[in-house]
């Protein structure tokens, strides 16, 4: 414990290592001598929230635990003109240094500095890239199959590469990073999946800025191996602001591809609106300078066609056991062997089988289960031409031109901020995201009905953030925050819930009534998919940061507790799964496909 306390008490010039920032500097006279006791006032130009301190005996000052944004810095001391810096831009998790040289004169006089503060961190060796609100609002993001994601913005950072589960920062390995929203992780227990983490974040329109740190970040980022992405939610200001938008993609505006005969269905809309400002109720309450709100909604609607997907399906005669047209690339017949005739080779090496006469399997040999499944597939026949007895007739013989996948997604977030006096600030964020992927009205983009091997997905997440800032004294500040992420993923097949026990029932399964069974072939496209499955991935965190400024030293004492669960559930193969291989009807002991058929 003594070692731990000694470590905590080490002086640190950078206090903010979450989404909060800090402003530091030195107050001097024209001769370069330090001015002690100067009053330093920092005002958020959007909300008029004020932070105050006094310069130390060495003329230094630090204002920690600040919300990112634009500030005005004023420094006053008896016998000197007022110093005003109008453009102090504080980015996520960074420290801005503003040194004030006071000119001799009356306090009623002022010296204003309007140039933008130099944004070079000299107080630490952290490698950080900050992207401010203007860029977050105006950078173009591609709407390509999914709602815009804040993680798409990360790709502009030089130290970032890859996307989704392949995202890597700072030269580290893929997935070895963490991402936070207002100081708490948005990651799920599927470590390093940016697409899942994006569901825990609000709309891009509800983020004021973000920063990516790839080196020099502190131990409080315990899950960040290669880097840390810090997102900051947007707050309302003293002015009312709003926006509305729609990003449209439509196949009517596309050119046909080189190979397809027709244009595939591709229609997407990414739309939404935002509103923010002071809470104002006519004749009842005016929240300027103290109560603020920010609301954001974003929706995504799409319809994507099959894009001429090519599959392999059995030929019509195969449903009757006729494999006379089953050929290899040279046009030679592939022989089907009768597994019931398997016996030891008289020569004493291995086993042998007899081929089915005329390469035909008698229908009397069909299993009852087979007879119940085949009616769902007999209408699916090769549609790419080809002559019976040729490879084109039996392989890659089915092109899907119909069916669509729709992926409706909705994000809704609300943030409220309350300034209580000059010492307290309370903030609350709530975000809800719903994501679905399912076949459209024309059916799935693949084999029809219960044979489709895709999954319907239904994902739902809620994220909460609460924080309380308490200025105990001008040199002692406390920041408490609580976070909760509720993330649930559900997936199931299109054939789930069809009351199957009297239609298709595989022997000895747990419950054949739940869904159409999953059937897989080595030479043909799979039939069916798995039943209900998914995970609940709740996460929560509590964090408290106490910042203490004493003389030349700035110290931070922190506590953080974080818990993440991954609670799996499901009935994946409750109605059975049958995997069929050509080995069952091939030459016994075959190591490559030259005989037999899985169908």
């Amino acid at each position: 414990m003594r070692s731990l306390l000694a470590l905590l008490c080490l002086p640190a010039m950078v206090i903010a290592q979450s989404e909060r920032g800090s402003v530091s500097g030195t107050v001097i006279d024209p001769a370069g001598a330090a001015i002690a006791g100067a009053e330093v006032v920092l005002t958020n130009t959007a909300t008029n929230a004020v932070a105050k301190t006094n310069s130390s005996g060495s003329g230094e000052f630090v204002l920690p635990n600040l919300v990112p944004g634009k500030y005005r810095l004023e420094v006053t001391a008896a016998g000197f003109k007022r110093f005003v810096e109008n453009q102090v831009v504080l980015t996520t998790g960074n420290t801005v240094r503003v040194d004030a040289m006071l000119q001799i004169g009356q306090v009623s006089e002022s010296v204003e500095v309007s140039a933008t503060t130099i944004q070079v961190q000299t107080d630490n060796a952290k490698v950080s890239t900050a992207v401010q609100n203007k860029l977050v609002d105006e950078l173009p993001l591609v709407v390509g199959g999914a709602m815009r994601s804040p993680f798409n913005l990360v790709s502009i950072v030089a130290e970032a590469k890859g996307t989704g589960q392949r995202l890597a920062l700072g030269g580290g390995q893929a997935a070895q990073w963490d991402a936070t929203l207002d100081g708490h992780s948005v990651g799920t227990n599927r470590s390093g999946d940016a697409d899942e983490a994006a569901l825990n974040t609000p709309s891009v329109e509800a983020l004021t800025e973000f920063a990516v740190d790839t080196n020099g970040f502190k131990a409080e980022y315990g899950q960040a191996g290669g880097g840390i992405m810090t997102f900051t939610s947007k707050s309302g200001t003293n002015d009312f602001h709003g926006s509305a938008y729609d990003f449209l993609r439509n196949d009517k505006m596309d050119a046909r591809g080189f190979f397809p005969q027709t244009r595939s269905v591709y229609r997407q809309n990414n739309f939404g609106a935002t509103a923010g400002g002071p809470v104002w109720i006519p004749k009842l309450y005016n929240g300027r300078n103290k109560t603020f709100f920010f609301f954001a909604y974003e929706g995504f609607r799409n319809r994507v066609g099959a894009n001429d997907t090519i599959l392999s399906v059995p030929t019509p005669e195969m449903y009757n056991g006729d494999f006379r047209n089953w050929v290899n690339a040279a046009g030679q017949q592939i022989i089907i062997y009768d597994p019931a005739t398997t016996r030891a080779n008289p020569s004493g090496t291995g086993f042998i089988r007899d081929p089915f006469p005329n390469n035909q399997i008698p229908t009397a040999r069909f299993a009852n289960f087979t007879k119940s499944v085949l009616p769902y597939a007999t209408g699916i026949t090769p549609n790419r031409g080809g002559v019976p007895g040729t490879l084109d007739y039996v392989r890659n013989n089915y092109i899907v031109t119909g069916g669509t996948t729709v992926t409706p997604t909705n994000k809704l977030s609300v943030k409220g901020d309350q300034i209580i006096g000059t010492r307290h600030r309370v903030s609350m964020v709530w975000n809800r995201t719903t994501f679905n992927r399912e076949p459209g009205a024309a059916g799935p983009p693949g084999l029809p009905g219960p044979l489709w091997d895709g999954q319907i997905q239904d994902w739902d997440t809620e994220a909460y953030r609460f924080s309380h800032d308490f200025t105990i004294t001008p040199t002692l500040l406390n920041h408490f925050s609580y976070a909760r992420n509720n993330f649930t993923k559900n997936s199931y097949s299109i054939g789930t819930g069809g009351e199957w026990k009297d239609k298709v029932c595989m022997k000895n399964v747990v419950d054949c009534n739940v869904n159409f069974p999953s059937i897989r072939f080595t030479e043909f496209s799979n039939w069916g998919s798995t039943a209900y499955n998914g995970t609940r991935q709740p996460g929560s965190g509590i964090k408290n940061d106490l910042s203490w400024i004493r003389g030349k030293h700035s110290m931070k004492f922190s506590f953080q507790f974080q818990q993440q669960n991954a609670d799996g559930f499901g009935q994946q193969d409750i109605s059975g799964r049958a995997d069929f291989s050509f080995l069952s009807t091939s030459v016994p002991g075959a190591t490559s496909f030259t005989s037999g058929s899985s169908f």
Side-chain angles (χ1 to χ4, degrees), residues 4-16:
L4 177 61
L5 288 173
L7 179 63
L8 288 173
C9 290
L10 286 175
M13 287 307 295
V14 179
I15 294 175

Side-chain angles (χ1 to χ4, degrees), residues 239-260:
D239 298 318
F240 288 101
H241 292 284
S243 65
Y245 56 90
D246 184 17
F247 299 91
L248 171 67
R249 296 186 67 179
N250 194 294
D251 58 86
K252 300 297 183 183
M253 298 181 283
D254 293 343
R256 179 177 61 82
F258 184 81
F259 293 103

Side-chain angles (χ1 to χ4, degrees), residues 561-585:
F561 170 80
Q562 181 170 299
Q563 178 177 351
Q564 290 180 315
N565 285 22
D567 306 324
F569 61 87
Q571 305 171 324
Q572 280 90 327
D573 291 321
I574 193 170
S575 295
R577 190 186 85 197
D579 293 358
F580 294 99
S581 169
F582 67 89
L583 294 173
S584 296
T585 54

